[in-house]
Coordinates of all heavy atoms in Angstrom, one line a residue:
M317 N -6.4 -19.4 27.5 CA -6.3 -17.9 27.1 C -7.8 -17.6 26.9 O -8.5 -17.9 26.0 CB -5.7 -17.8 25.6 CG -4.3 -18.2 25.6 SD -3.3 -17.2 26.8 CE -2.9 -15.8 25.5
P318 N -8.2 -16.7 27.8 CA -9.7 -16.2 27.7 C -10.1 -15.5 26.4 O -11.1 -15.5 26.0 CB -9.8 -15.3 28.9 CG -8.4 -15.0 29.3 CD -7.6 -16.0 28.9
R319 N -9.0 -14.8 25.8 CA -9.4 -14.0 24.7 C -9.9 -14.9 23.5 O -10.7 -14.4 22.7 CB -8.2 -13.3 24.1 CG -7.9 -12.0 25.0 CD -6.8 -11.1 24.5 NE -6.6 -10.0 25.4 CZ -5.6 -9.2 25.1 NH1 -4.9 -9.3 24.2 NH2 -5.5 -8.2 25.9
S320 N -9.2 -16.1 23.4 CA -9.7 -16.9 22.3 C -11.1 -17.4 22.4 O -11.6 -18.0 21.4 CB -8.6 -18.2 22.3 OG -8.8 -18.9 23.4
N321 N -11.7 -17.3 23.5 CA -13.1 -17.7 23.8 C -14.1 -16.6 23.5 O -15.2 -16.7 23.9 CB -13.2 -18.2 25.1 CG -12.5 -19.8 25.4 OD1 -12.4 -20.2 24.4 ND2 -12.1 -20.0 26.6
R322 N -13.6 -15.7 22.9 CA -14.5 -14.4 22.6 C -14.5 -14.1 21.2 O -13.9 -13.3 20.6 CB -13.8 -13.1 23.3 CG -14.1 -13.2 24.8 CD -13.7 -11.9 25.4 NE -13.8 -11.9 26.9 CZ -13.3 -10.8 27.7 NH1 -12.9 -9.7 27.0 NH2 -13.5 -10.9 29.0
P323 N -15.4 -15.0 20.5 CA -15.5 -14.8 18.9 C -16.2 -13.4 18.7 O -15.8 -12.8 17.6 CB -16.5 -15.9 18.6 CG -17.1 -16.3 19.8 CD -16.2 -16.1 20.9
R324 N -16.9 -12.7 19.6 CA -17.3 -11.4 19.3 C -16.4 -10.4 19.0 O -16.4 -9.7 18.0 CB -18.3 -10.9 20.4 CG -19.6 -11.4 20.4 CD -20.4 -10.8 21.5 NE -21.9 -11.5 21.6 CZ -22.7 -11.1 22.5 NH1 -22.5 -10.3 23.4 NH2 -23.8 -11.9 22.5
N325 N -15.3 -10.6 19.8 CA -14.2 -9.5 19.6 C -13.5 -9.7 18.2 O -13.1 -8.8 17.6 CB -13.0 -9.8 20.7 CG -13.6 -9.0 21.9 OD1 -14.7 -8.4 22.1 ND2 -12.7 -9.0 23.0
A326 N -13.4 -11.0 17.9 CA -12.7 -11.3 16.6 C -13.5 -10.7 15.5 O -12.9 -10.2 14.5 CB -12.5 -12.8 16.4
K327 N -14.8 -10.9 15.6 CA -15.7 -10.4 14.6 C -15.6 -8.8 14.3 O -15.7 -8.4 13.4 CB -17.1 -10.8 14.7 CG -17.5 -12.3 14.3 CD -18.9 -12.7 14.5 CE -19.0 -14.1 14.0 NZ -20.3 -14.6 14.2
K328 N -15.5 -8.2 15.6 CA -15.5 -6.8 15.6 C -14.2 -6.3 14.9 O -14.3 -5.3 14.3 CB -15.5 -6.3 17.1 CG -16.8 -5.8 17.6 CD -16.7 -5.1 19.0 CE -17.9 -4.8 19.5 NZ -17.9 -4.2 20.8
A329 N -13.1 -7.0 15.1 CA -11.9 -6.6 14.5 C -11.9 -6.7 13.1 O -11.2 -5.9 12.3 CB -10.7 -7.4 15.1
E330 N -12.7 -7.5 12.3 CA -12.5 -7.8 11.0 C -12.8 -6.6 10.1 O -12.0 -6.4 9.3 CB -13.5 -9.1 10.8 CG -13.2 -9.7 9.3 CD -14.0 -10.9 9.0 OE1 -14.5 -11.5 10.1 OE2 -14.1 -11.3 7.9
P331 N -14.0 -5.9 10.3 CA -14.3 -4.8 9.6 C -13.2 -3.7 9.5 O -12.9 -3.1 8.5 CB -15.5 -4.2 10.1 CG -16.1 -5.2 10.8 CD -15.0 -6.1 11.5
V332 N -12.5 -3.5 10.7 CA -11.4 -2.6 10.7 C -10.3 -3.0 9.7 O -9.7 -2.2 9.0 CB -10.9 -2.4 12.2 CG1 -9.6 -1.5 12.1 CG2 -12.0 -1.9 13.1
E333 N -9.9 -4.3 9.8 CA -8.9 -4.7 8.9 C -9.2 -4.6 7.5 O -8.5 -4.2 6.6 CB -8.5 -6.3 9.1 CG -7.7 -6.5 10.5 CD -7.5 -7.9 10.7 OE1 -7.6 -8.7 9.8 OE2 -7.3 -8.1 11.9
L334 N -10.5 -4.8 7.0 CA -10.9 -4.8 5.7 C -10.9 -3.2 5.3 O -10.5 -3.0 4.2 CB -12.4 -5.2 5.7 CG -12.6 -6.8 5.7 CD1 -14.1 -7.2 5.7 CD2 -11.9 -7.3 4.5
N335 N -11.2 -2.3 6.3 CA -11.3 -0.9 5.9 C -9.8 -0.5 5.5 O -9.5 0.2 4.7 CB -11.8 0.0 7.0 CG -13.3 -0.2 6.9 OD1 -13.9 -0.5 6.0 ND2 -13.9 0.2 8.1
L336 N -8.9 -0.9 6.4 CA -7.5 -0.6 6.2 C -7.0 -1.1 4.9 O -6.3 -0.5 4.1 CB -6.7 -1.2 7.3 CG -6.7 -0.5 8.7 CD1 -5.8 -1.2 9.7 CD2 -6.1 0.9 8.5
A337 N -7.4 -2.3 4.5 CA -7.1 -2.9 3.3 C -7.6 -2.0 2.1 O -7.0 -1.8 1.0 CB -7.5 -4.4 3.1
L338 N -8.8 -1.5 2.3 CA -9.4 -0.8 1.2 C -8.6 0.6 1.0 O -8.4 1.0 -0.1 CB -10.9 -0.5 1.7 CG -11.8 0.0 0.6 CD1 -12.0 -1.1 -0.5 CD2 -13.2 0.5 1.2
I339 N -8.3 1.2 2.1 CA -7.5 2.4 2.0 C -6.1 2.1 1.3 O -5.7 2.9 0.6 CB -7.1 3.0 3.4 CG1 -8.6 3.4 4.1 CG2 -6.2 4.1 3.3 CD1 -8.5 3.8 5.5
K340 N -5.4 1.0 1.6 CA -4.2 0.8 1.0 C -4.3 0.4 -0.4 O -3.5 0.9 -1.3 CB -3.5 -0.4 1.7 CG -2.9 -0.1 3.0 CD -2.3 -1.3 3.7 CE -1.7 -1.1 5.1 NZ -1.4 -2.3 5.8
T341 N -5.2 -0.4 -0.8 CA -5.3 -0.8 -2.2 C -6.3 0.1 -3.1 O -6.3 -0.1 -4.2 CB -5.7 -2.2 -2.3 OG1 -7.0 -2.5 -1.7 CG2 -4.7 -3.2 -1.5
G342 N -7.3 0.8 -2.5 CA -8.2 1.6 -3.1 C -9.2 0.7 -3.6 O -9.4 -0.5 -3.3
F343 N -10.2 1.0 -4.5 CA -11.3 0.3 -5.1 C -10.8 -0.3 -6.3 O -9.9 0.0 -7.0 CB -12.5 1.3 -5.4 CG -12.1 2.2 -6.5 CD1 -12.4 2.0 -7.8 CD2 -11.7 3.5 -6.2 CE1 -12.1 2.8 -8.7 CE2 -11.5 4.5 -7.1 CZ -11.7 4.2 -8.5
R344 N -11.5 -1.4 -6.6 CA -11.4 -2.0 -8.0 C -12.7 -2.1 -8.5 O -13.7 -2.5 -7.9 CB -10.7 -3.4 -7.9 CG -10.4 -4.0 -9.2 CD -9.9 -5.4 -8.9 NE -8.3 -5.2 -8.7 CZ -7.5 -6.2 -8.7 NH1 -7.9 -7.4 -9.1 NH2 -6.2 -6.0 -8.5
K345 N -12.8 -2.0 -9.9 CA -14.1 -2.0 -10.5 C -13.9 -2.4 -11.9 O -12.7 -2.3 -12.4 CB -14.9 -0.7 -10.5 CG -14.1 0.5 -11.2 CD -15.0 1.8 -11.1 CE -14.2 2.9 -11.8 NZ -14.9 4.2 -11.7
T346 N -14.8 -2.6 -12.7 CA -14.7 -2.9 -14.1 C -15.5 -1.9 -14.9 O -16.6 -1.3 -14.5 CB -15.3 -4.3 -14.4 OG1 -16.6 -4.5 -14.1 CG2 -14.5 -5.4 -13.8
E347 N -15.0 -1.6 -16.1 CA -15.8 -0.5 -16.9 C -15.6 -1.0 -18.3 O -14.5 -1.7 -18.6 CB -14.9 0.8 -16.9 CG -15.4 1.7 -15.8 CD -14.8 3.0 -15.9 OE1 -14.7 3.7 -17.1 OE2 -14.3 3.6 -14.8
I348 N -16.6 -0.7 -19.2 CA -16.5 -1.2 -20.5 C -16.4 0.1 -21.4 O -17.1 1.1 -21.2 CB -17.8 -1.9 -20.9 CG1 -17.8 -3.3 -20.1 CG2 -17.8 -2.1 -22.3 CD1 -19.0 -4.0 -20.3
K349 N -15.3 0.1 -22.2 CA -15.1 1.3 -23.1 C -15.1 0.6 -24.5 O -14.4 -0.3 -24.8 CB -13.8 2.0 -22.8 CG -13.8 2.8 -21.5 CD -12.5 3.4 -21.3 CE -12.5 4.4 -20.0 NZ -13.2 5.6 -20.2
R350 N -16.0 1.1 -25.4 CA -16.0 0.6 -26.7 C -16.0 -0.9 -26.9 O -15.3 -1.6 -27.7 CB -14.8 1.2 -27.4 CG -14.8 2.6 -27.7 CD -13.9 3.1 -28.6 NE -14.0 4.5 -28.9 CZ -13.5 5.3 -30.0 NH1 -12.6 4.7 -30.7 NH2 -13.6 6.5 -30.0
G351 N -16.8 -1.6 -26.0 CA -17.0 -2.9 -26.1 C -15.9 -3.8 -25.4 O -16.0 -5.0 -25.5
T352 N -14.9 -3.2 -24.8 CA -13.9 -3.9 -24.2 C -13.9 -3.7 -22.7 O -14.2 -2.5 -22.2 CB -12.4 -3.4 -24.6 OG1 -12.3 -3.5 -26.2 CG2 -11.2 -4.2 -24.0
E353 N -13.9 -4.9 -21.9 CA -14.0 -4.7 -20.4 C -12.6 -4.5 -19.9 O -11.7 -5.2 -20.1 CB -14.6 -5.9 -20.0 CG -14.7 -5.8 -18.5 CD -15.6 -7.1 -17.9 OE1 -16.6 -7.5 -18.4 OE2 -14.9 -7.7 -17.0
Y354 N -12.6 -3.4 -19.1 CA -11.4 -3.1 -18.3 C -11.5 -3.2 -16.7 O -12.6 -3.0 -16.4 CB -10.9 -1.6 -18.6 CG -10.6 -1.3 -20.0 CD1 -11.4 -0.8 -21.0 CD2 -9.4 -1.8 -20.6 CE1 -11.2 -0.6 -22.3 CE2 -8.9 -1.6 -22.0 CZ -9.9 -0.9 -22.7 OH -9.6 -0.6 -24.0
T355 N -10.5 -3.7 -16.1 CA -10.4 -3.6 -14.7 C -9.7 -2.4 -14.4 O -8.7 -2.1 -14.8 CB -9.7 -4.9 -14.3 OG1 -10.5 -6.0 -14.7 CG2 -9.7 -4.8 -12.6
V356 N -10.4 -1.6 -13.5 CA -9.7 -0.3 -13.0 C -9.5 -0.5 -11.6 O -10.3 -0.7 -10.8 CB -10.7 0.8 -13.4 CG1 -10.0 2.1 -13.0 CG2 -11.2 0.8 -14.7
Q357 N -8.2 -0.2 -11.2 CA -7.7 -0.2 -9.8 C -7.2 1.1 -9.4 O -6.3 1.7 -10.1 CB -6.7 -1.3 -9.7 CG -5.8 -1.3 -8.3 CD -6.7 -2.0 -7.3 OE1 -7.1 -3.2 -7.4 NE2 -7.1 -1.3 -6.3
S358 N -7.6 1.7 -8.4 CA -7.2 2.9 -7.9 C -5.9 2.7 -7.1 O -5.7 1.6 -6.4 CB -8.2 3.7 -7.0 OG -8.4 3.0 -5.7
T359 N -5.1 3.6 -7.0 CA -3.8 3.5 -6.4 C -3.3 4.8 -5.8 O -3.6 5.9 -6.4 CB -2.6 2.9 -7.2 OG1 -1.4 2.9 -6.5 CG2 -2.4 3.6 -8.5
T360 N -2.8 4.7 -4.7 CA -2.2 6.0 -4.1 C -0.9 6.4 -4.6 O -0.4 7.5 -4.6 CB -1.9 5.9 -2.7 OG1 -0.9 4.8 -2.3 CG2 -3.2 5.5 -1.8
G361 N -0.2 5.6 -5.4 CA 1.1 5.9 -6.0 C 2.1 5.9 -5.0 O 3.3 6.3 -5.2
L362 N 1.9 5.4 -3.8 CA 2.7 5.5 -2.6 C 3.5 4.2 -2.4 O 4.2 4.1 -1.3 CB 2.0 6.1 -1.4 CG 1.7 7.4 -1.3 CD1 0.7 7.7 -0.2 CD2 2.9 8.3 -1.2
N363 N 3.2 3.1 -3.1 CA 3.9 1.9 -2.9 C 5.3 2.0 -3.0 O 6.0 2.2 -4.0 CB 3.3 0.9 -4.0 CG 3.7 -0.5 -3.6 OD1 4.5 -0.7 -2.8 ND2 3.0 -1.5 -4.2
S364 N 6.1 1.8 -1.8 CA 7.5 2.0 -1.8 C 8.3 0.9 -2.5 O 9.4 1.2 -2.8 CB 8.0 2.0 -0.3 OG 7.4 0.8 0.3
E365 N 7.5 -0.2 -2.8 CA 8.2 -1.3 -3.5 C 8.3 -0.9 -5.1 O 9.0 -1.5 -5.8 CB 7.4 -2.7 -3.4 CG 7.6 -3.2 -1.8 CD 6.6 -4.3 -1.7 OE1 6.4 -4.9 -2.7 OE2 6.2 -4.7 -0.5
D366 N 7.4 -0.1 -5.4 CA 7.4 0.3 -6.8 C 8.0 1.6 -7.0 O 7.3 2.6 -7.0 CB 5.9 0.3 -7.3 CG 5.7 0.0 -8.6 OD1 6.7 0.0 -9.4 OD2 4.6 -0.3 -9.2
D367 N 9.3 1.7 -7.2 CA 10.0 2.9 -7.3 C 10.2 3.5 -8.7 O 11.2 4.2 -8.9 CB 11.4 2.8 -6.6 CG 12.0 4.0 -6.1 OD1 11.2 4.9 -5.7 OD2 13.3 4.0 -6.0
K368 N 9.1 3.3 -9.6 CA 9.3 3.9 -10.7 C 8.1 4.9 -11.0 O 7.2 4.9 -10.3 CB 9.2 2.8 -11.8 CG 8.0 1.9 -11.8 CD 7.9 0.9 -12.7 CE 6.7 -0.2 -12.5 NZ 6.8 -1.2 -13.3
S369 N 8.3 5.6 -12.0 CA 7.1 6.7 -12.4 C 6.4 6.1 -13.8 O 7.0 5.3 -14.4 CB 7.7 8.1 -12.6 OG 8.7 8.0 -13.6
W370 N 5.3 6.7 -14.1 CA 4.6 6.2 -15.2 C 4.1 7.4 -16.1 O 4.1 8.6 -15.6 CB 3.3 5.6 -14.6 CG 3.5 4.6 -13.4 CD1 3.9 3.4 -13.6 CD2 3.5 4.9 -12.1 NE1 4.0 2.8 -12.3 CE2 3.8 3.8 -11.4 CE3 3.2 6.1 -11.4 CZ2 3.8 3.7 -10.0 CZ3 3.2 5.9 -9.9 CH2 3.5 4.8 -9.4
V371 N 4.1 7.2 -17.3 CA 3.6 8.1 -18.2 C 2.3 7.7 -18.7 O 1.9 6.7 -19.1 CB 4.5 8.2 -19.4 CG1 4.1 9.1 -20.5 CG2 6.0 8.6 -19.1
C372 N 1.3 8.6 -18.5 CA -0.2 8.5 -18.6 C -0.2 8.4 -20.3 O 0.3 9.2 -20.9 CB -0.8 9.7 -18.2 SG -2.6 9.7 -18.7
P373 N -0.9 7.3 -20.7 CA -0.9 7.1 -22.2 C -1.9 8.1 -22.8 O -2.0 8.2 -24.0 CB -1.3 5.7 -22.3 CG -2.0 5.4 -21.0 CD -1.4 6.2 -19.9
H374 N -2.8 8.8 -22.0 CA -3.8 9.6 -22.6 C -3.1 11.1 -22.8 O -3.4 11.6 -23.8 CB -5.0 9.8 -21.7 CG -6.1 10.6 -22.2 ND1 -6.7 10.2 -23.2 CD2 -6.5 11.9 -21.8 CE1 -7.7 11.1 -23.6 NE2 -7.6 12.2 -22.7
C375 N -2.4 11.7 -21.7 CA -1.9 13.0 -21.9 C -0.4 13.0 -22.2 O 0.1 14.1 -22.4 CB -2.4 13.9 -20.7 SG -1.6 13.3 -19.2
Q376 N 0.2 11.7 -22.0 CA 1.7 11.8 -22.2 C 2.4 12.4 -21.1 O 3.6 12.8 -21.3 CB 2.2 12.1 -23.6 CG 1.3 11.5 -24.8 CD 1.5 10.0 -24.9 OE1 2.5 9.5 -24.5 NE2 0.5 9.4 -25.2
I377 N 1.8 12.8 -20.0 CA 2.5 13.5 -19.0 C 2.8 12.5 -17.8 O 2.0 11.6 -17.5 CB 1.6 14.6 -18.3 CG1 1.5 15.7 -19.6 CG2 2.2 15.2 -17.2 CD1 0.5 16.8 -19.1
Q378 N 4.0 12.7 -17.3 CA 4.4 11.7 -16.2 C 3.5 11.8 -14.9 O 3.2 12.9 -14.5 CB 5.8 12.0 -15.9 CG 6.4 11.0 -14.9 CD 7.8 11.0 -14.8 OE1 8.6 11.2 -15.7 NE2 8.4 11.3 -13.5
I379 N 3.2 10.7 -14.4 CA 2.4 10.8 -13.2 C 3.5 10.6 -12.0 O 4.3 9.6 -12.0 CB 1.5 9.5 -13.1 CG1 0.5 9.4 -14.2 CG2 0.7 9.4 -11.8 CD1 -0.3 8.2 -14.4
A380 N 3.5 11.6 -11.3 CA 4.6 11.7 -10.1 C 4.3 10.6 -9.1 O 3.1 10.3 -8.8 CB 4.6 13.1 -9.6
K381 N 5.3 10.2 -8.5 CA 5.2 9.2 -7.4 C 4.5 9.9 -6.3 O 4.7 11.0 -5.9 CB 6.6 8.7 -7.0 CG 6.6 7.7 -6.0 CD 8.0 7.2 -5.6 CE 8.1 6.3 -4.5 NZ 7.4 5.1 -4.5
G382 N 3.5 9.1 -5.8 CA 2.8 9.8 -4.6 C 1.5 10.3 -5.0 O 0.7 11.0 -4.3
T383 N 1.2 10.5 -6.4 CA 0.1 11.0 -6.9 C -1.1 9.9 -7.0 O -0.8 8.8 -7.7 CB 0.2 11.6 -8.3 OG1 1.2 12.6 -8.2 CG2 -1.0 12.2 -8.9
A384 N -2.1 10.1 -6.4 CA -3.3 9.0 -6.6 C -3.6 9.0 -8.0 O -3.8 10.0 -8.6 CB -4.4 9.4 -5.7
H385 N -3.8 7.8 -8.5 CA -4.1 7.6 -10.0 C -4.9 6.3 -10.1 O -4.9 5.6 -9.1 CB -3.0 7.9 -10.9 CG -1.9 7.0 -10.7 ND1 -1.0 7.0 -9.6 CD2 -1.5 5.7 -11.3 CE1 -0.1 5.9 -9.7 NE2 -0.4 5.2 -10.8
L386 N -5.0 6.0 -11.4 CA -5.7 4.7 -11.6 C -4.9 3.7 -12.5 O -4.0 4.3 -13.5 CB -7.0 4.9 -12.5 CG -8.1 5.7 -11.9 CD1 -9.3 6.1 -12.7 CD2 -8.6 5.1 -10.5
V387 N -4.9 2.5 -12.3 CA -4.2 1.6 -13.2 C -5.3 0.8 -13.7 O -6.4 0.2 -13.2 CB -3.5 0.5 -12.4 CG1 -2.6 -0.4 -13.2 CG2 -2.4 1.3 -11.5
A388 N -5.4 0.7 -15.2 CA -6.3 0.0 -16.0 C -5.8 -1.0 -16.8 O -4.7 -0.8 -17.4 CB -7.2 1.1 -16.8
W389 N -6.5 -2.1 -16.9 CA -6.0 -3.1 -17.9 C -7.2 -3.9 -18.5 O -8.3 -3.9 -18.0 CB -5.0 -4.1 -17.3 CG -5.6 -5.0 -16.1 CD1 -6.3 -6.2 -16.1 CD2 -5.7 -4.6 -14.7 NE1 -6.6 -6.6 -14.9 CE2 -6.1 -5.7 -13.9 CE3 -5.0 -3.6 -14.0 CZ2 -6.3 -5.8 -12.6 CZ3 -5.3 -3.5 -12.5 CH2 -5.8 -4.6 -12.0
D390 N -7.0 -4.4 -19.7 CA -7.8 -5.3 -20.4 C -8.2 -6.5 -19.7 O -7.2 -7.4 -19.3 CB -7.3 -5.6 -21.7 CG -8.4 -6.3 -22.7 OD1 -9.0 -7.2 -22.2 OD2 -8.3 -5.9 -24.0
T391 N -9.4 -6.7 -19.1 CA -9.6 -7.8 -18.3 C -9.6 -9.1 -19.0 O -9.0 -10.0 -18.3 CB -11.3 -7.8 -17.9 OG1 -11.4 -6.6 -17.3 CG2 -11.6 -8.8 -16.9
I392 N -9.8 -9.2 -20.3 CA -9.6 -10.5 -21.0 C -8.0 -10.7 -21.3 O -7.6 -11.7 -21.0 CB -10.3 -10.4 -22.5 CG1 -11.8 -10.1 -22.1 CG2 -10.3 -11.8 -23.2 CD1 -12.6 -11.0 -21.3
R393 N -7.3 -9.7 -21.7 CA -5.9 -9.8 -22.1 C -5.0 -9.9 -20.9 O -3.9 -10.4 -21.0 CB -5.4 -8.8 -23.1 CG -6.1 -8.9 -24.5 CD -6.2 -7.6 -25.1 NE -4.7 -7.1 -25.4 CZ -4.5 -5.8 -25.6 NH1 -5.4 -4.9 -25.5 NH2 -3.2 -5.5 -25.8
G394 N -5.5 -9.3 -19.7 CA -4.8 -9.6 -18.5 C -3.9 -8.5 -18.1 O -3.8 -7.4 -18.8
V395 N -3.3 -8.5 -16.8 CA -2.9 -7.4 -16.2 C -1.4 -7.0 -16.9 O -1.0 -5.8 -16.6 CB -2.4 -7.7 -14.7 CG1 -3.7 -7.9 -13.9 CG2 -1.5 -9.0 -14.7
E396 N -0.8 -7.7 -17.8 CA 0.3 -7.3 -18.5 C -0.1 -6.2 -19.4 O 0.9 -5.5 -19.9 CB 0.9 -8.5 -19.2 CG 0.1 -9.1 -20.4 CD -0.6 -10.3 -19.8 OE1 -0.9 -10.4 -18.5 OE2 -1.1 -11.2 -20.6
T397 N -1.3 -6.0 -19.7 CA -1.7 -4.8 -20.5 C -1.9 -3.5 -19.8 O -2.3 -2.6 -20.2 CB -2.9 -5.1 -21.2 OG1 -4.1 -5.4 -20.4 CG2 -2.8 -6.4 -22.2
R398 N -1.7 -3.6 -18.4 CA -2.1 -2.5 -17.6 C -1.2 -1.2 -17.9 O -0.2 -1.2 -18.3 CB -1.9 -2.8 -16.1 CG -0.5 -2.9 -15.8 CD -0.4 -3.4 -14.4 NE 1.1 -3.6 -13.8 CZ 1.9 -4.6 -14.2 NH1 1.4 -5.6 -14.8 NH2 3.1 -4.7 -13.6
R399 N -1.9 0.0 -17.7 CA -1.3 1.3 -17.9 C -1.8 2.2 -16.8 O -2.9 1.9 -16.2 CB -1.7 1.9 -19.3 CG -1.3 1.1 -20.5 CD 0.2 0.9 -20.6 NE 0.9 2.2 -20.8 CZ 1.2 2.6 -21.8 NH1 1.0 2.2 -22.9 NH2 1.8 3.9 -21.9
H400 N -1.0 3.1 -16.5 CA -1.3 4.0 -15.4 C -1.8 5.4 -16.0 O -1.2 5.8 -16.9 CB -0.1 4.3 -14.5 CG 0.5 3.2 -13.9 ND1 0.5 3.1 -12.5 CD2 1.1 2.0 -14.2 CE1 1.0 2.0 -11.9 NE2 1.3 1.2 -13.1
F401 N -3.0 5.6 -15.4 CA -3.7 7.0 -15.9 C -3.9 7.9 -14.7 O -4.1 7.5 -13.6 CB -5.1 6.5 -16.5 CG -5.1 5.7 -17.7 CD1 -4.8 4.4 -17.8 CD2 -5.4 6.4 -19.0 CE1 -4.9 3.7 -19.0 CE2 -5.5 5.7 -20.1 CZ -5.2 4.3 -20.2
H402 N -3.9 9.2 -15.2 CA -4.4 10.2 -14.3 C -5.9 9.9 -14.1 O -6.6 9.5 -15.1 CB -4.3 11.7 -14.8 CG -3.0 12.0 -14.9 ND1 -2.3 12.1 -16.2 CD2 -1.9 12.4 -13.9 CE1 -0.9 12.5 -15.8 NE2 -0.7 12.8 -14.6
S403 N -6.5 10.1 -13.0 CA -8.0 9.7 -12.8 C -8.8 10.4 -13.9 O -9.7 9.7 -14.5 CB -8.4 10.2 -11.5 OG -7.5 9.6 -10.6
N404 N -8.6 11.7 -14.1 CA -9.5 12.4 -15.0 C -9.2 11.9 -16.6 O -10.1 11.8 -17.4 CB -9.2 13.8 -15.1 CG -9.9 14.5 -13.8 OD1 -10.9 13.8 -13.3 ND2 -9.5 15.5 -13.4
C405 N -7.9 11.5 -16.8 CA -7.6 10.9 -18.1 C -8.3 9.6 -18.4 O -8.5 9.4 -19.6 CB -6.1 10.8 -18.3 SG -5.2 12.5 -18.4
W406 N -8.3 8.8 -17.4 CA -9.0 7.5 -17.7 C -10.5 7.8 -18.0 O -11.0 7.2 -19.0 CB -9.0 6.7 -16.4 CG -9.8 5.5 -16.6 CD1 -10.9 5.2 -15.9 CD2 -9.6 4.4 -17.5 NE1 -11.5 4.0 -16.2 CE2 -10.7 3.5 -17.3 CE3 -8.6 4.1 -18.5 CZ2 -10.8 2.2 -18.1 CZ3 -8.8 2.8 -19.1 CH2 -9.8 2.1 -18.9
K407 N -11.1 8.8 -17.4 CA -12.5 9.2 -17.8 C -12.6 9.5 -19.3 O -13.6 9.2 -20.0 CB -13.1 10.2 -17.0 CG -13.3 9.8 -15.4 CD -13.8 11.0 -14.6 CE -13.8 10.7 -13.1 NZ -13.9 12.0 -12.3
A408 N -11.6 10.3 -19.7 CA -11.6 10.7 -21.0 C -11.1 9.7 -22.1 O -11.4 9.8 -23.3 CB -10.8 11.9 -21.2
F409 N -10.5 8.8 -21.6 CA -9.8 7.8 -22.5 C -10.8 6.8 -23.1 O -11.7 6.3 -22.6 CB -8.8 6.9 -21.7 CG -8.1 5.9 -22.4 CD1 -7.0 6.2 -23.3 CD2 -8.5 4.6 -22.3 CE1 -6.4 5.3 -24.0 CE2 -7.8 3.5 -23.0 CZ -6.7 3.9 -23.9
Q410 N -10.8 6.8 -24.5 CA -11.7 6.0 -25.2 C -10.9 5.1 -26.3 O -11.5 4.6 -27.2 CB -12.6 6.9 -26.0 CG -13.7 7.6 -25.1 CD -14.5 6.7 -24.3 OE1 -14.8 5.6 -24.8 NE2 -15.1 7.1 -23.2
G411 N -9.7 5.0 -26.0 CA -8.9 4.3 -27.1 C -8.7 2.8 -26.6 O -9.4 2.3 -25.8
V412 N -7.7 2.2 -27.1 CA -7.4 0.8 -26.8 C -6.0 0.6 -26.2 O -5.1 1.4 -26.7 CB -7.4 -0.1 -28.2 CG1 -7.0 -1.4 -27.9 CG2 -8.7 0.0 -28.8
L413 N -6.0 -0.2 -25.2 CA -4.7 -0.3 -24.4 C -3.8 -1.1 -25.4 O -4.2 -2.1 -25.8 CB -4.9 -1.0 -23.2 CG -5.6 -0.2 -22.1 CD1 -5.6 -1.0 -20.8 CD2 -4.9 1.1 -21.8
L414 N -2.6 -0.6 -25.7 CA -1.7 -1.3 -26.5 C -0.7 -2.2 -25.9 O -0.4 -2.1 -24.7 CB -0.8 -0.4 -27.5 CG -1.8 0.6 -28.3 CD1 -0.9 1.6 -29.1 CD2 -2.5 -0.3 -29.5
Ligands
LIG639 ZN1 -3.0 11.9 -18.0

């Protein structure tokens, strides 16, 4: 197979796949609020496997399915502490995830 002897092509394809993955999963970063480190993951809210809605713990308003928003969790305590926030609400949030 001549294609398998072309590593250049394989390398070219790689960034495209990474970009697609980035679009699907969004960014992930860490933020420190009041001395607690949180992992913050953006999400499109379009994950068809996740057919539930979320109530933002900051404004108590439901985040509609398909709305881009953030998922944040306590990095130390783990992903079971994760909550879904409106993007702006996460910026304003200064409390503790319960
Ligand atoms: Zn909110």
